[in-house]
Amino acid sequence: MSHFIDILENYKRIDENINNARLKFGRNDKVSIMAVTKTVPVDRINYAISLGIELIGENRVQEFLEKEDEYDKNCEIHFIGGLQNNKVKYIIDKVKIIESADSYKLIDEISRQAQKKSCDIGILLEVNIAGEVTKNGIPPREIKSYLEYADQLPGVDVKGLMTIPPFALDGKNDLYFYNMQQLYLEHKDKYNLDILSMGLSADYENAIKYGSNIVRIGTALFGNR
Ligand SMILES: *Cc1c(COP(=O)(O)O)cnc(C)c1O
């Protein structure tokens, strides 16, 4: 096993920041670090897993398929990138959760492929919380209909919500994080949701303030891409 001192130091700092944020914002529940692996070589990813990171985030189908055989198996993999309908079949039995479910057509296809492979798959609804025209994601006002719809589909289990707010330094996205938290709490009990995935390298501490329980971290862990 190779050692990567940069990843070790970054991990220690992130872990400490997360624990400080949990204390500061009174979070007693678990906050998971997801290592976001786009462009990162396998030996660096496996080193991160060896440090105790249990969750891996994949953006690109092709890149993922090329690397996944060599991943250490004691981690959970989520797909977090834009996903075309015709690619669902390649990843459906290789990931635990697809976090980027953002259209009825995609959710239908996920359900179809899950049934075909007899696997149950978790999804998160990706929310376009800031209403950005350049971004994928479901408008907040449609989330209720999506939950009702997905609830009756075989093979898929909606586990929660995910968002990628506008790029901003820590503190600037508070309103979006707050709105995500409200949306999540509004539907959590009825639909049995338990994941709120938000916060990246630039703003994960504030996402924790608003209830995020998966922070998706690339740059702050592995360095610039
Ligand atoms: C790249 C990416 C991240 C991580 O972003 P960093 O700023 O590098 O931490 C998180 N979520 C998604 C969906 C991404 O594509």
Side-chain angles (χ1 to χ4, degrees):
M1 162 72 66
S2 315
H3 288 259
F4 297 99
I5 191 75
D6 60 323
I7 299 175
L8 177 63
E9 285 174 354
N10 290 340
Y11 174 71
K12 281 191 196 153
R13 189 176 55 243
I14 293 164
D15 190 50
E16 193 183 322
N17 289 344
I18 288 177
N19 282 324
N20 288 341
R22 289 179 64 240
L23 274 177
K24 187 168 161 193
F25 302 123
R27 295 283 306 273
N28 299 315
D29 53 334
K30 186 173 175 184
V31 176
S32 299
I33 302 177
M34 171 190 284
V36 176
T37 63
K38 54 187 180 252
T39 77
V40 179
V42 173
D43 53 348
R44 286 172 66 77
I45 296 167
N46 282 340
Y47 181 68
I49 296 170
S50 79
L51 297 176
I53 289 182
E54 298 165 331
L55 195 53
I56 294 294
E58 294 295 323
N59 278 78
R60 300 171 185 149
V61 172
Q62 189 59 38
E63 183 182 336
F64 170 51
L65 295 177
E66 283 163 13
K67 296 194 307 200
E68 59 107 12
D69 264 357
E70 298 171 68
Y71 285 176
D72 282 343
K73 295 303 170 220
N74 50 342
C75 67
E76 181 174 317
I77 299 173
H78 292 189
F79 195 83
I80 61 172
L83 183 58
Q84 290 170 300
N85 290 5
N86 61 4
K87 300 273 175 69
V88 172
K89 56 178 174 288
Y90 301 121
I91 64 162
I92 191 82
D93 53 352
K94 297 187 169 65
V95 304
K96 183 108 188 278
I97 293 182
I98 295 174
E99 296 202 4
S100 42
D102 62 358
S103 74
Y104 286 112
K105 279 198 170 136
L106 180 59
I107 295 170
D108 283 342
E109 177 63 6
I110 293 171
S111 168
R112 208 169 72 85
Q113 294 296 340
Q115 287 171 268
K116 223 168 146 179
K117 296 248 171 77
S118 303
C119 54
D120 271 314
I121 184 143
I123 63 171
L124 305 187
L125 299 178
E126 181 173 346
V127 184
N128 188 346
I129 196 64
E132 294 171 279
V133 287
T134 55
K135 235 176 227 172
N136 292 340
I138 301 162
R141 64 176 180 282
E142 291 177 28
I143 289 299
K144 187 166 182 282
S145 312
Y146 267 87
L147 286 167
E148 272 165 19
Y149 180 77
D151 204 37
Q152 47 80 41
L153 276 185
V156 291
D157 185 11
V158 185
K159 303 265 190 207
L161 305 178
M162 177 270 222
T163 197
I164 314 170
F167 178 80
L169 293 176
D170 213 9
K172 296 289 192 302
N173 276 331
D174 280 23
L175 179 63
Y176 300 127
F177 288 149
Y178 173 82
N179 288 342
M180 281 297 294
Q181 183 179 38
Q182 294 306 307
L183 197 60
Y184 174 72
L185 292 176
E186 188 182 330
H187 300 293
K188 183 184 188 321
D189 290 341
K190 180 162 182 200
Y191 292 100
N192 242 325
L193 310 180
D194 61 6
I195 299 178
L196 180 56
S197 172
M198 61 185 189
L200 345 93
S201 292
D203 54 16
Y204 63 92
E205 287 153 288
N206 258 44
I208 290 169
K209 178 174 177 184
Y210 294 99
S212 170
N213 51 22
I214 296 182
V215 291
R216 306 184 310 266
I217 302 196
T219 317
L221 182 64
F222 294 118
N224 286 325
R225 287 183 287 274

